């Protein structure tokens, strides 16, 4: 029987050796198990290293050790999708830039590293993201975007009280989105002070999970303030095309982003998949490997 610990260490050393190359700009390490310090000592890739971790405490500890760190959602999705989310967090915080070549190392959540990818930012990654997809513009708060992605993944994974649900979350260009939508039910966020309805507040994210059972979309401002829930998106655009098999929810998300400058996240009720729309097209697609429901 092979020695898995030795194999994992040999795998890590091979990744470090590749990352030491002058052709490589970044080493993106997507794991909550830090690299042993002796493996980095004197290596050029130490300055290129970006840790992508799920634990705030671990992130803080690594930052104190002068490492570059981003947080990623602690959900059980595939290896390639873990890399996608880590790339989004890294590019939105400008730790990785357009055209950078990154060596990406990851494994399944809570498991040893077992996967190595070479990615040039701006090229496709498993039907994922062009550079314009991960660079969303200065008006969008990267923390808000990360919080929305985490929330959408959680809704897709957990549903509501044991039942799968789907929803749409729009962010940005709110006046135009409100003008091209109408209220289906009473707006549960109406009358609440803005300081008490920001997506960065965990209590508000929990409220959104509960209100996801309502028909319609959530309308969120660029700074994370939730303006409305239960909005029916009325925008139409016959030129919008989405892949076969996607229904009205994805069409509505694509259309509102084609008619306004907002972004939209659509959570599939059928599969729990999360799709990120911009300018009428999918720029990010996350398929969860397991669902709790």
């Amino acid at each position: 029987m092979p020695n898995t610990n030795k194999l994992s260490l040999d795998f890590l050393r091979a990744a470090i050796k590749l990352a030491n190359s002058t052709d490589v700009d970044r080493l993106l390490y997507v794991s909550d198990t830090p690299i042993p310090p002796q493996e980095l000592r004197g290596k050029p890739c130490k300055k290129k290293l970006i840790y992508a971790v799920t634990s705030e405490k671990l992130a803080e500890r690594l930052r104190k050790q002068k490492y570059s760190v981003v947080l990623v959602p602690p959900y059980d999705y595939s290896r390639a999708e873990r890399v996608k989310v880590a790339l989004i967090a890294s590019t939105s915080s400008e730790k990785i830039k357009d055209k950078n070549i990154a060596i990406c190392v990851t494994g399944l959540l809570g498991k040893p590293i077992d996967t190595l990818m070479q990615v040039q930012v701006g090229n496709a990654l498993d039907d994922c993201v062009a550079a314009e997809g991960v660079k969303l513009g200065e008006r969008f708060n990267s923390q808000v975007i990360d919080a929305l992605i985490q929330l959408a993944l959680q809704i897709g994974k957990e549903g509501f009280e044991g039942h799968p649900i789907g929803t749409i979350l729009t962010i940005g260009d709110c006046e135009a989105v409100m003008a091209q939508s109408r209220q289906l039910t009473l707006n549960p966020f109406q009358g609440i002070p803005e300081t008490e309805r920001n997506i960065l507040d965990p209590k508000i994210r929990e409220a959104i999970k509960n209100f996801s059972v309502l028909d319609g979309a959530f309308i969120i401002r660029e700074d994370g303030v939730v303006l409305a829930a239960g909005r029916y998106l009325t925008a139409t655009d016959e030129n919008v095309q989405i892949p076969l098999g996607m229904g009205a929810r994805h069409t509505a998300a694509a259309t509102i982003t084609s008619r306004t400058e907002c972004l939209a996240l659509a959570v599939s009720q059928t599969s729990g998949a999360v799709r990120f729309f911009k300018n009428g097209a999918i720029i990010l697609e996350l398929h969860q490997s397991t669902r709790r429901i």
Side-chain angles (χ1 to χ4, degrees), residues 111-181:
K111 302 293 184 180
I113 58 167
D114 60 7
T115 302
L116 179 66
M117 299 182 190
Q118 175 187 316
V119 176
Q120 182 172 21
V121 176
N123 291 341
L125 167 63
D126 190 29
D127 298 325
C128 170
V129 194
E132 66 173 8
V134 294
K135 290 191 171 183
L136 299 174
E138 293 182 359
R139 69 183 185 279
F140 293 104
N141 182 316
S142 63
Q143 288 183 310
V144 172
I145 296 296
D146 289 344
L148 283 173
I149 291 173
Q150 293 185 41
L151 176 61
L153 286 166
Q154 195 168 3
I155 291 170
K157 182 180 179 67
E158 298 178 0
F160 181 75
E161 295 185 347
H163 300 284
I165 55 175
T167 195
I168 298 173
L169 303 149
T170 76
I171 178 168
D173 202 8
C174 296
E175 289 187 9
V177 175
M178 292 292 277
Q180 298 190 59
S181 63

Side-chain angles (χ1 to χ4, degrees), residues 46 194 263:
K46 185 175 182 179
E194 288 191 1
L263 309 173

Side-chain angles (χ1 to χ4, degrees), residues 4 38 46 48 51 54 137 157 169 174 196 200 226 237:
T4 54
Q38 65 270 20
K46 185 175 182 179
K48 307 176 185 180
Y51 276 110
T54 65
K157 182 180 179 67
L169 303 149
C174 296
E196 297 178 16
L200 297 178
V226 184
D237 188 342

